[in-house]
Amino acid sequence: MAPQRPAGSPLDKAGLGVKLLGVSVLAGILVAGMALPAVGTLGLTAKDAADSLGNLPDDLKRPPLSQASYIYDNKGNEIAKVFDRDRTVLTKDQMAPIIRQAQVDIEDNRFFEHGAVDVKGILRAIGKNAESGSASQGASTLTQQYVKNVFVEQAGDDTAAVQEAQRKTLGRKIQELKYAIKLEQDLSKDEILTNYLNITFYGHQAYGIEAAANRYFSKSAKDLSIPEAAMLAGLVQNPTAYDPVLHPKAAQTRRDTVINKLLEYKHITPQQAKDALAAPLGIQYHEPLNGCITAKNGMGFFCDYVRHVVKLDPVFGKSAADRQKLWSQGGLKIYTTIDPDKQAAAYSAVTKRVFPTDDVSAAMTMVKPGSGEILAMAQTRPYGLDAKQHQTVLNLNVDLAMGGGSGFAPGSTFKPILAAAALENGTPITQTYPAPQKMDYPKMSTCNGTWNEKGVPVENESKSEVGPFSMNEAMAKSVNTYFVQMAQDVGLCPMKQMINKVGIKNLASGAAIKEVPSSVLGTLEVSPMKMAGVYATFAARGLHCDPIAISSVVAADNKKLDVPQANCTQAMSQSTADGVNTLLKTVTEKGTAANIKLDGREFAGKTGTTDNRYAAWFDGYTPDLATAVWLGGPSGNVSMRDIRIGGHYRDQVYGADGPGPIWADAMNDVVDGTPKSTFTLVDIPVPTPTPDPNASPTDTPSTPSNDNANNAGGLIGGGFTLPPGFIGGANGGPSTPPTGKPTKPGHH
């Protein structure tokens, strides 16, 4: 409807009529051009008119309206509704007939009688506007209004384009008339009305009648009553002035006008009108909930990860602009891999053991071996923008490009990758090394030469950790010098290649992986999701699958879109993976993770704790599920010594007693009642111990401070004996980007 404007002089008043008359004449010409064989006026022929009208853009018939997208878990439950514009496109049958009739009666009551141009309406408007001295009454048909709305929709958030689409010029009016005439040829009245109700803005971020019904009455458009439909139909003229939330009296007056129109045109009975006029507005306002912030059970971070996948993966569009358009256009149904039960267990574990108010946070990712499906992604602090509520949108589980940070040093959880590279390149699983308590980093080969640290020392966690050690014992105790000597034999190039094969193509920051000696002790900063993918590779007997979050996507036109694939490849031989699984099963039975228990079933894993206790890890798995847990300061610089975590004081944190119990809480919950799968293990010959002739029968080995303070000794897979309360060696340096020089290793 045209806005009020002052009249001016009598000539101005006459001018208003002349302008509208001019438009009506032009409309008549256009109509004649459609109906007659030839039209000589203004040099137009029937062919000219037909050619002009034949240029109608297809988008006017079925405009790709921006609407909400929905993200679902793997059981079909809604995770979140995300939108640039809150709109759900409906069919005619999904709308209550009363809202369709009310919109027509108040906007264009002769809509079903006239063509694209209502000549009678134009003449009536000319008379009334000339009489009143203002342009108080417009003559646009509902079809013309729809055309204008399409132009505004196409302008999107471009302010200049929106203003251009709304400019009231003779040229634009003629353009709207031309398109309206063509539309009425190509679409039925019902189709035009349905499109109009889907595109129209109703205020409070509600685009289309479905969003409006939900916003103001918390119901679907198919369930609207007479007074509710009348209120919404009346909003269209001026959503601000008739806002029922801010201006309820104005809204009710406008609503009553619509009800009276319905009665006037005999579309409701006098009794229905009386009841509707007596009814209160009945507003049940539903705040627009947009985006991942609305997700439950801590799924906001996973939801945000899905958003990044759609916007970054080329499968959703060749260019960034194409992918952004797909996301902004919306109307997508995105079905994901997340398992709501596993997600609930993960979220409970990371929030029960660590509080959002703590200086540190925990993050956990679960990945299904053999498929790469991400089944859970949780962290301690809630998803959101309010720092006072300890909220964050930084996803600690993923790489920087996917909404995360620069990652964290994984510590000794990286040692199994070196072991896999060694076994794959022919090193026997019985390999022993002298592994002194302390040594200098030796010269190591790289893909393009050698690396020589020249006197940089590396040492084991405990003074009592002096070799020789076998691979099984060194993995269980996490002996630093053993793995440094292994890296010298194997070389940094095969390790880098294995790092790539198990899914780590770059650091979490996006930087390239460097071949540095300290990398064997876990100084390269990575994300929990990538580490879950690594251990899922071991669990799947060497089959690596890229972690995937999306199982299928259905577009607004109900067509299925391609989605990212897991690209499963054999990263190592099955026998190599079986060897690694045997080593890591020993870690959980007799090694640093022996205090972590899982429902009486087989599992394998590795602890890791970095220097200065900046980060602690436990990456563990069954043959069916791999879970990585990280614990530390989100910015990577909180030393976990003399610290309270989850309401309990800790003098220092290790992988086994920090993230380990978090892992156990979640995993025990999710494996309960599931079949007990077993690993395919390899036979590791029992080494023959060499007795110390100087040892007294009553001597008891010293008990170092360790990651497994409650571990009772016993035989580790290979048959050697551990002292009560033992803990093994160390792992990588602080969570700062590697400089090329190894840092002092920390603990496991």
Side-chain angles (χ1 to χ4, degrees), residues 358-538:
D358 289 343
D359 292 334
V360 297
S361 189
M364 175 191 299
T365 298
M366 294 182 177
V367 171
K368 183 178 180 180
S371 76
E373 294 170 279
I374 301 171
L375 301 178
M377 182 182 287
Q379 65 189 60
T380 302
R381 296 180 184 178
Y383 185 86
L385 297 170
D386 190 348
K388 293 180 180 179
Q389 297 297 319
H390 307 283
Q391 295 175 352
T392 181
V393 293
L394 182 69
N395 189 344
L396 300 174
N397 275 292
V398 301
D399 290 357
L400 179 65
M402 305 306 291
S406 297
F408 311 97
S412 288
T413 61
F414 234 51
K415 289 173 181 172
I417 301 176
L418 174 60
L423 294 173
E424 190 75 352
N425 283 273
T427 301
I429 201 167
T430 55
Q431 179 69 44
T432 61
Y433 288 108
Q437 196 278 325
K438 184 176 182 179
M439 61 180 285
D440 288 344
Y441 275 99
K443 183 185 296 185
M444 296 184 186
S445 65
T446 66
C447 293
N448 298 306
T450 58
W451 189 288
N452 190 353
E453 289 296 347
K454 296 180 181 179
V456 177
V458 58
E459 60 185 296
N460 297 328
E461 167 73 3
S462 170
K463 298 292 184 183
S464 66
E465 287 179 354
V466 179
F469 292 107
S470 68
M471 192 183 302
N472 205 17
E473 185 180 12
M475 186 67 78
K477 289 185 174 183
S478 201
V479 179
N480 286 336
T481 58
Y482 177 93
F483 288 96
V484 169
Q485 290 180 326
M486 175 183 280
Q488 181 185 21
D489 266 3
V490 175
L492 295 175
C493 189
M495 180 173 179
K496 180 183 179 181
Q497 292 169 344
M498 184 58 70
I499 290 171
N500 292 158
K501 288 179 180 179
V502 295
I504 302 176
K505 311 296 187 190
N506 47 255
L507 302 183
S509 65
I513 293 173
K514 294 182 179 179
E515 296 173 75
V516 293
S518 63
S519 66
V520 305
L521 304 181
T523 57
L524 303 179
E525 294 179 318
V526 294
S527 64
M529 189 185 80
K530 289 293 179 68
M531 292 306 295
V534 170
Y535 281 72
T537 304
F538 298 145

Side-chain angles (χ1 to χ4, degrees), residues 88-316:
T88 300
V89 175
L90 302 181
T91 63
K92 172 186 174 182
D93 294 338
Q94 292 172 314
M95 301 176 185
I98 189 62
I99 184 57
R100 298 173 67 84
Q101 193 60 64
Q103 202 72 67
V104 169
D105 285 356
I106 194 62
E107 293 287 333
D108 182 4
N109 70 288
R110 298 183 62 254
F111 173 66
F112 287 99
E113 300 170 20
H114 61 65
V117 179
D118 184 6
V119 177
K120 184 184 291 186
I122 291 174
L123 294 174
R124 183 180 63 248
I126 290 172
K128 289 194 175 182
N129 290 339
E131 182 181 326
S132 66
S134 67
S136 59
Q137 181 161 349
S140 291
T141 64
L142 192 145
T143 304
Q144 291 170 253
Q145 292 180 52
Y146 166 69
V147 170
K148 181 181 289 186
N149 279 336
V150 171
F151 292 148
V152 172
E153 177 74 17
Q154 290 172 339
D157 295 325
D158 185 333
T159 303
V162 171
Q163 290 175 345
E164 175 62 26
Q166 294 176 328
R167 276 203 315 140
K168 296 177 180 178
T169 64
L170 189 59
R172 180 159 289 281
K173 192 70 176 176
I174 293 172
Q175 183 185 39
E176 290 174 6
L177 285 169
K178 287 166 56 180
Y179 287 164
I181 292 168
K182 182 61 175 172
L183 268 177
E184 294 252 354
Q185 283 189 331
D186 294 344
L187 300 180
S188 70
K189 288 285 190 177
D190 273 336
E191 288 174 319
I192 294 171
L193 177 57
T194 298
N195 286 0
Y196 179 79
L197 288 165
N198 278 320
I199 201 172
T200 298
F201 179 58
Y202 289 86
H204 285 275
Q205 299 183 51
Y207 291 84
I209 191 60
E210 180 70 2
N214 182 264
R215 183 76 71 254
Y216 298 110
F217 298 110
S218 297
K219 61 170 59 174
S220 174
K222 65 181 175 59
D223 300 320
L224 290 169
S225 66
I226 293 173
E228 291 167 346
M231 197 282 288
L232 293 178
L235 262 180
V236 174
Q237 187 187 65
N238 193 328
T240 301
Y242 299 130
D243 183 340
V245 177
L246 299 177
H247 310 296
K249 289 184 178 180
Q252 183 155 347
T253 299
R254 177 67 174 166
R255 180 204 71 173
D256 293 350
T257 298
V258 178
I259 293 171
N260 286 322
K261 285 291 183 184
L262 284 164
L263 177 62
E264 178 184 344
Y265 301 130
K266 302 188 184 326
H267 292 130
I268 59 174
T269 67
Q271 185 60 50
Q272 286 175 317
K274 180 180 178 182
D275 293 342
L277 290 168
L281 272 181
I283 299 300
Q284 295 183 39
Y285 184 73
H286 186 74
E287 191 71 33
L289 300 177
N290 181 20
C292 297
I293 199 169
T294 64
K296 302 295 190 296
N297 277 333
M299 289 192 197
F301 297 100
F302 177 76
C303 170
D304 186 71
Y305 179 73
V306 169
R307 179 175 67 88
H308 277 83
V309 171
V310 174
K311 289 189 172 184
L312 293 175
D313 198 299
V315 75
F316 292 112

Side-chain angles (χ1 to χ4, degrees), residues 572-604:
M572 65 194 78
S573 67
Q574 289 188 344
S575 60
T576 291
D578 293 342
V580 173
N581 292 336
T582 303
L583 296 171
L584 297 183
K585 182 171 177 286
T586 299
V587 173
T588 66
E589 291 177 339
K590 302 292 183 179
T592 58
N595 65 318
I596 302 171
K597 303 300 179 185
L598 183 62
D599 186 32
R601 66 181 66 209
E602 284 188 2
F603 72 103

